[in-house]
Coordinates of all heavy atoms in Angstrom, one line a residue:
N148 N 44.5 14.1 28.3 CA 44.4 15.3 27.5 C 44.4 16.5 28.4 O 44.5 16.4 29.6 CB 43.2 15.4 26.5 CG 41.8 15.3 27.3 OD1 41.7 15.6 28.5 ND2 40.8 14.9 26.6
K154 N 41.7 10.3 27.2 CA 41.2 10.1 25.8 C 41.9 11.1 24.9 O 42.3 12.2 25.3 CB 39.7 10.2 25.7 CG 39.1 11.5 26.1 CD 37.6 11.5 26.1 CE 37.0 12.8 26.5 NZ 35.5 12.8 26.5
F155 N 41.9 10.8 23.6 CA 42.5 11.7 22.6 C 41.3 12.0 21.6 O 40.6 11.0 21.1 CB 43.6 11.0 21.9 CG 44.1 11.8 20.6 CD1 44.6 13.1 20.8 CD2 44.0 11.3 19.4 CE1 45.0 13.8 19.6 CE2 44.4 11.9 18.2 CZ 45.0 13.3 18.4
E156 N 41.1 13.2 21.3 CA 40.1 13.6 20.4 C 40.6 14.0 19.1 O 41.5 14.9 19.1 CB 39.2 14.7 21.0 CG 38.5 14.4 22.3 CD 37.7 15.5 22.9 OE1 38.0 16.7 22.7 OE2 36.8 15.2 23.7
L157 N 40.1 13.5 18.0 CA 40.6 13.8 16.7 C 39.4 14.1 15.8 O 38.5 13.3 15.7 CB 41.4 12.6 16.1 CG 42.0 12.8 14.8 CD1 43.0 13.9 14.8 CD2 42.6 11.5 14.3
V158 N 39.4 15.2 15.1 CA 38.3 15.6 14.2 C 38.6 14.9 12.8 O 39.6 15.1 12.2 CB 38.3 17.1 14.0 CG1 37.1 17.4 12.9 CG2 37.9 17.8 15.3
Q159 N 37.6 14.1 12.4 CA 37.7 13.4 11.1 C 36.4 13.6 10.3 O 35.3 13.4 10.8 CB 37.8 11.8 11.3 CG 39.0 11.5 12.2 CD 39.0 10.0 12.5 OE1 38.1 9.2 12.1 NE2 39.9 9.6 13.4
L160 N 36.5 14.2 9.1 CA 35.4 14.6 8.3 C 34.4 15.4 9.1 O 33.2 15.2 8.9 CB 34.8 13.3 7.7 CG 35.7 12.3 6.9 CD1 34.9 11.1 6.5 CD2 36.3 13.1 5.8
G161 N 34.9 16.3 9.9 CA 34.0 17.2 10.5 C 33.4 16.7 11.8 O 32.6 17.4 12.5
E162 N 33.7 15.5 12.2 CA 33.2 14.9 13.4 C 34.3 14.5 14.4 O 35.4 14.1 13.9 CB 32.4 13.6 13.1 CG 31.1 13.9 12.3 CD 30.2 12.7 12.1 OE1 30.6 11.6 12.7 OE2 29.2 12.7 11.4
T163 N 34.1 14.7 15.7 CA 35.1 14.4 16.6 C 35.0 12.9 17.1 O 34.0 12.4 17.5 CB 34.9 15.3 17.9 OG1 35.0 16.6 17.5 CG2 36.0 15.0 19.0
R164 N 36.2 12.3 17.0 CA 36.2 10.9 17.4 C 37.1 10.8 18.7 O 38.0 11.6 18.7 CB 36.9 10.0 16.3 CG 36.3 10.1 15.0 CD 34.9 9.4 14.9 NE 34.4 9.4 13.6 CZ 33.2 8.9 13.2 NH1 32.4 8.4 14.2 NH2 32.8 9.0 12.0
E165 N 36.8 9.9 19.5 CA 37.5 9.8 20.8 C 38.2 8.4 20.9 O 37.6 7.4 20.5 CB 36.6 10.0 22.0 CG 36.0 11.3 22.1 CD 35.1 11.5 23.3 OE1 34.8 10.4 24.0 OE2 34.6 12.6 23.6
Y166 N 39.5 8.4 21.3 CA 40.2 7.2 21.4 C 40.9 7.1 22.8 O 41.4 8.1 23.3 CB 41.3 7.1 20.3 CG 40.7 7.2 19.0 CD1 40.7 8.4 18.2 CD2 40.2 6.0 18.3 CE1 40.2 8.4 17.0 CE2 39.7 6.1 17.1 CZ 39.7 7.3 16.4 OH 39.2 7.3 15.1
P167 N 40.9 5.9 23.4 CA 41.5 5.7 24.7 C 43.1 5.9 24.7 O 43.6 5.7 23.6 CB 41.1 4.4 25.2 CG 40.8 3.6 23.9 CD 40.3 4.6 23.0
A242 N 47.1 7.0 22.1 CA 45.9 6.6 21.4 C 46.3 5.9 20.0 O 45.8 4.8 19.7 CB 45.1 7.8 21.0
R246 N 45.6 1.9 19.2 CA 44.9 1.5 18.0 C 45.6 0.6 17.1 O 45.0 -0.4 16.4 CB 44.4 2.8 17.2 CG 43.4 3.7 17.8 CD 43.1 4.9 17.0 NE 42.5 4.5 15.7 CZ 42.4 5.4 14.6 NH1 42.9 6.6 14.8 NH2 41.8 5.0 13.5

Side-chain angles (χ1 to χ4, degrees):
N148 63 20
K154 62 185 179 183
F155 171 62
E156 296 179 337
L157 183 65
V158 177
Q159 302 172 6
L160 303 182
E162 296 185 4
T163 300
R164 307 287 184 183
E165 297 181 351
Y166 300 99
R246 288 178 66 192

